[in-house]
């Protein structure tokens, strides 16, 4: 705020800009000034393009161009990029060329279509090409054509052969299934080799990949300057927050959404309390809400007042949200001017969103599908199957709206939107990891198949806050951001960085999995011990540096090894096993 700074210092804005030098830059998009750590981070490739265009019209932006050139990520070479069947950034024309060359058929005989909105691919061959020896025998099996195996690989599926029994039931034919999966694996490997063989194609695809995924520079956050007015420090170690805690608070203040992925004991509670109070003090949030596990509500209230004794907080435990009291509690939240409102996970779920918010949430997805239908119909070639798949997805979403309308009825109460909450902090956010997603990856282990209404409710509320606040307003905190499955990283991105997934074309889980995960097929002992079977698991990350850059753009990760916090030594230098004799009760049990 140059006028404010000029009033405080007596210096002109131009003079201060000159003195600050490389610490500040004017952003050509909008013309506002930004600190160097903000401007020279994020999507720096796109920023360089904008700055280059601006400097052609105004030489003042030449310094921006020079600074941005110095922070461009180094291009990843083709050999370090995992390009596989189903990768959403590979054009349909390249998939078609691969099929044409592999099966030695005319180009006009093959049609490949892709609907990014539902991450669905279709491969269509004309009658002659379909019955060719290369499709049925050379690269196919007795039960599966090569074109079918390729289409299944594009959609993240593995082939499974069934035999029909006299009673009309179906059983898996292990021999044919193993043969088909081995042949599909060979086709995948052939594509991964073929895609980089042509120099022109390799250069083009590598450029596309770098522009889409290798375009981020992570920002560093230094909160050492924060003073935290009103904080009681006497009980803190060295009478102040630790460096990593200050940095985390500064990150919350500076970014849109944050995941505090700090190890247990790192002080996430005080980080969120301090961040909530600073957001209030700076006018960045009017009413923060902290959502904590049910049994920790009172403990959180005590910790909040321990750090800020003068704070005006509302601690709404389960009693306030019991039947008969809920309306009163919601009225208190809506009408009170609190520094923070602390509620339990179960109470938060009882705060209903309005029908308008839910309909808009689903309506946005329907609008995207309608656009995809229009685009698919405009494409050349046979796109009837792809249009049919998108139409099915649209019908499922429409049914969701009707189902909710029938379930909710006419029961009228204060809604989440009417409470005035504009910032939420979620403690133990890993409890919301069962967010449902759509996938065509069938018969693959390592993918969560559970879904919870609690997670859907959280997703809608976080989406509403981010829409209302220009992308900010949500902070998650957990010591276990990824515990059981690889899909949990995708879920965290959906909550906190959906716009990044969309920009990279991996908004749909299958597109994300095709680019960053790999299903590994191996021989495993059958559960009943009767023999061996082929089993496919989603168990390996690929293109990991780019995935980590996306994740670390919103996640503040602190492990025990990174922090080296003081801990008491273990007596004797190492753990000892103590054998406790069994009681009579235990023996009887």
């Amino acid at each position: 705020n140059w006028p404010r700074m000029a009033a405080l210092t007596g210096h002109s804005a131009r003079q201060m800009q000159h003195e600050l030098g490389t610490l500040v830059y004017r952003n050509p998009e909008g013309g506002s000034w930004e600190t160097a750590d903000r401007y020279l981070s994020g999507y720096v490739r796109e920023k360089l393009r904008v700055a280059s265009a601006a400097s052609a019209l105004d030489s003042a932006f030449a310094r921006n161009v020079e600074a941005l050139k110095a922070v461009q990520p180094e291009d990843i070479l083709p050999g370090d990029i995992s390009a596989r069947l189903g990768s959403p950034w590979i054009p349909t024309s390249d998939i078609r060329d691969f099929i044409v060359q592999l099966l030695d058929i005319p180009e006009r005989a093959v049609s490949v279509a892709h609907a990014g909105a539902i991450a669905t691919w279709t491969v269509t061959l004309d009658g002659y090409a379909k019955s060719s020896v290369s499709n049925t025998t050379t690269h196919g099996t007795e039960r599966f054509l090569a074109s079918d195996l390729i289409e299944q690989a594009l959609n993240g599926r593995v082939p499974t052969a069934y035999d029909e029994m006299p009673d009309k039931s179906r059983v898996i034919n292990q021999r044919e299934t193993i043969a088909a999966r081995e042949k599909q694996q060979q086709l995948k490997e052939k594509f991964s080799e073929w895609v980089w063989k042509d120099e022109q194609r390799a250069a083009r695809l590598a450029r596309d990949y770098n522009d889409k995924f290798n375009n981020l520079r992570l920002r560093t956050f230094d909160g050492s300057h924060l003073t935290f007015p009103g904080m009681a420090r006497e009980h803190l170690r060295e009478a102040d927050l630790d460096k990593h805690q200050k940095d985390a608070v500064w990150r919350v203040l500076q970014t849109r959404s944050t995941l505090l992925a700090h190890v247990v004991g790192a002080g996430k509670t005080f980080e969120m309390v301090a961040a909530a109070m600073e957001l209030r003090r700076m006018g960045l949030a009017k009413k923060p809400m902290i959502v904590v596990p049910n049994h920790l509500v009172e403990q959180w209230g005590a910790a909040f007042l321990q750090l800020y004794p003068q704070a005006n907080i509302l601690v709404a435990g389960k009693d306030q949200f019991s039947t008969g009291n809920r309306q009163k509690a919601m009225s208190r939240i809506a009408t009170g001017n609190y520094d923070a409102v602390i509620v339990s996970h179960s109470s938060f779920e009882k705060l209903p969103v309005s029908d308008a918010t839910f309909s808009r949430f689903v309506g946005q997805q329907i609008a995207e599908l309608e656009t995809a239908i229009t685009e698919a119909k405009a494409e050349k070639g046979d796109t009837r199957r792809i249009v049919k798949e998108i139409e099915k997805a649209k019908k499922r979403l429409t049914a969701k709206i009707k189902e909710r309308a029938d379930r909710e009825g006419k029961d009228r109460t204060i809604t989440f939107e009417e409470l005035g909450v504009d910032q939420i902090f979620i403690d133990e956010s890993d409890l919301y990891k069962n967010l449902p997603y759509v996938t065509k990856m069938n018969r693959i282990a390592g993918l969560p198949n559970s879904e919870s209404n609690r997670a859907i409710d959280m997703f809608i509320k976080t989406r509403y806050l981010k829409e209302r606040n220009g992308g900010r307003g949500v902070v998650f905190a957990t010591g276990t951001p990824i515990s059981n499955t690889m899909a949990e990283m995708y879920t965290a991105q959906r909550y906190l960085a959906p716009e990044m997934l969309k920009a990279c074309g991996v908004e749909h889980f299958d597109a994300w999995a095709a680019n960053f995960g790999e299903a590994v097929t191996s021989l495993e002992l059958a559960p009943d011990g009767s023999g061996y079977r082929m089993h496919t698991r989603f168990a390996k990350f690929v293109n990991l540096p780019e995935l980590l850059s996306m994740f670390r753009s919103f996640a503040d990760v602190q492990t025990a090894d990174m922090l080296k916090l003081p801990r008491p030594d273990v007596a004797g230098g190492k753990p000892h096993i103590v054998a406790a004799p069994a009681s009579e009760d235990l023996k009887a049990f």
Side-chain angles (χ1 to χ4, degrees):
N1 187 334
W2 296 114
R4 170 72 174 151
M5 290 163 69
L8 289 169
T9 62
H11 293 212
S12 69
R14 186 177 291 277
Q15 185 182 353
M16 285 187 289
Q17 288 161 13
H18 177 71
E19 287 174 1
L20 285 165
T22 57
L23 294 176
V24 293
Y25 290 89
R26 185 157 67 96
N27 192 332
E29 288 187 289
S32 61
W33 286 79
E34 297 178 4
T35 54
D37 64 334
R38 177 190 286 271
Y39 183 66
L40 301 179
S41 62
Y43 293 110
V44 288
R45 290 191 192 276
E46 179 59 30
K47 286 181 178 181
L48 178 58
R49 275 194 283 271
V50 173
S52 299
S55 67
L57 302 172
D58 185 349
S59 59
F61 291 112
R63 64 192 289 267
N64 295 40
V65 175
E66 292 305 311
L68 285 165
K69 279 181 179 177
V71 297
Q72 292 297 299
E74 194 174 330
D75 276 353
I76 302 170
L77 300 175
D80 296 323
I81 300 171
S82 177
R84 295 167 309 132
L85 285 169
S87 296
W89 51 277
I90 298 177
T92 54
S93 55
D94 288 325
I95 306 296
R96 185 195 62 219
D97 292 346
F98 168 68
I99 296 170
V100 165
Q101 292 181 33
L102 179 77
L103 302 182
D104 192 22
I105 54 179
E107 192 175 300
R108 66 177 183 278
V110 186
S111 174
V112 178
H114 177 228
I118 57 172
T120 299
W121 298 75
T122 58
V123 176
T124 309
L125 270 62
D126 67 15
Y128 161 74
K130 206 168 190 176
S131 58
S132 65
V133 175
S134 56
N135 193 37
T136 56
T137 308
T138 312
H139 300 291
T141 70
E142 195 176 316
R143 299 275 187 99
F144 293 91
L145 299 174
S147 56
D148 292 339
L149 292 174
I150 291 170
E151 183 178 90
Q152 289 194 358
L154 287 166
N155 288 299
R157 289 177 175 154
V158 291
T160 304
Y162 293 94
D163 290 335
E164 191 170 299
M165 306 307 286
D167 62 354
K168 300 297 181 185
S169 64
R170 297 199 311 162
V171 295
I172 295 175
N173 184 316
Q174 288 287 359
R175 189 178 66 82
E176 287 294 338
T177 297
I178 290 171
R181 290 185 182 181
E182 283 181 349
K183 193 68 80 170
Q184 187 188 57
Q185 187 60 35
Q186 290 170 13
L187 289 168
K188 288 179 180 179
E189 289 166 4
K190 278 184 168 67
F191 177 78
S192 295
E193 292 172 11
W194 172 88
V195 77
W196 301 121
K197 273 185 177 175
D198 182 84
E199 283 188 20
Q200 284 187 326
R201 179 173 60 240
R204 169 173 53 82
L205 289 176
R207 181 75 269 141
D208 289 349
Y209 182 86
N210 277 289
D211 287 347
K212 192 169 281 253
F213 296 102
N214 183 34
N215 56 0
L216 279 172
R217 181 175 187 257
L218 295 180
R219 181 179 174 184
T220 54
F221 296 90
D222 182 4
S224 57
H225 63 284
L226 294 171
T227 56
F228 304 109
M231 180 184 285
R233 303 164 186 271
E234 56 273 7
H235 58 276
L236 296 174
R237 183 169 46 239
E238 297 180 11
D240 203 358
L241 293 180
D242 290 335
K243 183 186 183 309
H244 74 273
Q245 291 178 301
K246 287 185 173 183
D247 293 347
V249 173
W250 184 238
R251 185 180 192 125
V252 171
L253 297 176
Q254 289 288 296
T255 58
R256 295 183 166 193
S257 297
T258 306
L259 169 62
L260 300 175
H262 293 190
V263 68
V264 174
K268 294 186 290 293
T269 299
F270 280 176
E271 288 169 7
M272 287 189 275
V273 169
M277 291 299 286
E278 286 294 282
L279 285 166
R280 276 275 291 175
R281 186 178 69 82
M282 295 179 177
L284 296 173
K286 290 187 174 66
K287 192 180 293 181
M289 176 176 277
I290 302 176
V291 186
V292 306
N294 299 352
H295 63 289
L296 294 178
V297 176
E298 281 75 21
Q299 186 178 318
W300 252 90
F304 203 113
L305 292 175
Q306 184 185 20
L307 198 62
Y308 285 91
Q310 305 300 320
N312 176 27
I313 64 173
L314 172 64
V315 181
K318 62 180 181 182
D319 293 339
Q320 282 91 332
F321 277 85
S322 59
T323 307
N325 291 339
R326 193 193 321 175
Q327 200 75 7
K328 188 176 173 184
M330 291 174 71
S331 296
R332 284 187 69 191
I333 296 171
T335 56
N337 181 26
Y338 300 105
D339 290 322
V341 177
I342 301 174
V343 300
S344 67
H345 284 172
S346 58
S347 298
F348 183 76
E349 192 182 347
K350 289 173 183 170
L351 303 174
V353 294
S354 67
D355 288 341
T357 297
F358 183 82
S359 299
R360 188 171 71 252
F361 167 72
V362 180
Q364 287 168 350
Q365 298 174 61
I366 290 176
E368 287 174 10
L369 292 178
E370 286 174 345
T371 304
I373 291 171
T374 307
E375 289 173 357
K377 286 179 176 175
E379 275 188 27
K380 294 176 182 176
D382 186 1
T383 58
R384 284 172 298 178
R385 284 173 59 206
I386 208 87
V387 169
K388 198 177 283 186
E389 289 290 337
I390 304 173
E391 291 280 10
K392 282 183 192 172
K394 185 182 163 187
K395 273 184 185 172
R396 284 195 296 269
L397 282 174
T398 309
K400 264 189 187 178
I401 294 181
K402 187 176 185 306
E403 182 190 334
R404 175 187 163 88
D406 293 343
R407 187 177 70 245
E408 296 292 332
K410 301 296 179 187
D411 183 28
R412 175 65 184 157
T413 184
I414 296 176
T415 64
F416 175 72
E417 298 88 331
E418 293 168 333
L419 297 177
V421 171
D422 56 356
Q423 173 80 40
I424 57 172
F425 294 83
I426 312 298
D427 191 25
E428 302 298 347
S429 60
D430 54 287
L431 296 173
Y432 293 88
K433 67 187 177 186
N434 290 332
L435 183 64
Y437 57 89
V438 179
T439 179
K440 301 180 295 300
M441 296 171 70
N442 58 347
R443 305 192 71 82
I444 293 180
L447 293 177
N449 56 6
S450 57
E451 57 181 70
S452 70
N453 289 327
R454 176 169 61 181
I456 297 171
D457 175 74
M458 176 62 73
F459 188 58
I460 294 173
K461 287 170 182 172
T462 54
R463 185 63 69 93
Y464 161 76
L465 280 176
K466 287 169 77 68
E467 282 179 3
R468 174 187 160 176
N469 299 336
R472 66 177 299 134
V474 182
V475 175
F476 277 17
T478 175
T480 52
I482 299 162
S483 53
N484 293 326
T485 70
M486 291 166 52
E488 287 170 28
M489 183 175 271
Y490 168 74
T491 299
Q493 289 178 288
R494 281 181 76 194
Y495 276 123
L496 298 170
E499 63 286 337
M500 186 178 290
L501 291 176
K502 193 169 186 176
C504 293
V506 290
E507 200 174 14
H508 194 285
F509 176 76
D510 288 356
W512 183 89
N515 204 58
F516 297 120
E518 187 170 339
V520 180
T521 302
S522 58
L523 212 56
E524 290 186 4
L525 191 66
D528 59 2
S530 60
Y532 289 90
R533 61 175 187 173
M534 292 297 284
H535 203 53
T536 304
R537 289 185 179 280
F538 189 60
K540 185 181 174 186
F541 280 123
V542 295
N543 295 322
L544 194 56
E546 296 74 66
L547 175 60
L548 278 180
S549 289
M550 292 171 69
F551 183 69
R552 291 295 292 270
S553 67
F554 63 83
D556 189 283
V557 180
Q558 297 289 348
T559 65
D561 292 338
M562 292 163 69
L563 291 176
K564 294 183 172 60
L565 295 172
R567 289 187 295 181
D569 294 329
V570 176
K574 64 179 182 179
H576 293 275
I577 296 171
V578 179
S583 67
E584 292 304 317
D585 288 343
L586 180 60
K587 287 176 181 175
F589 177 77

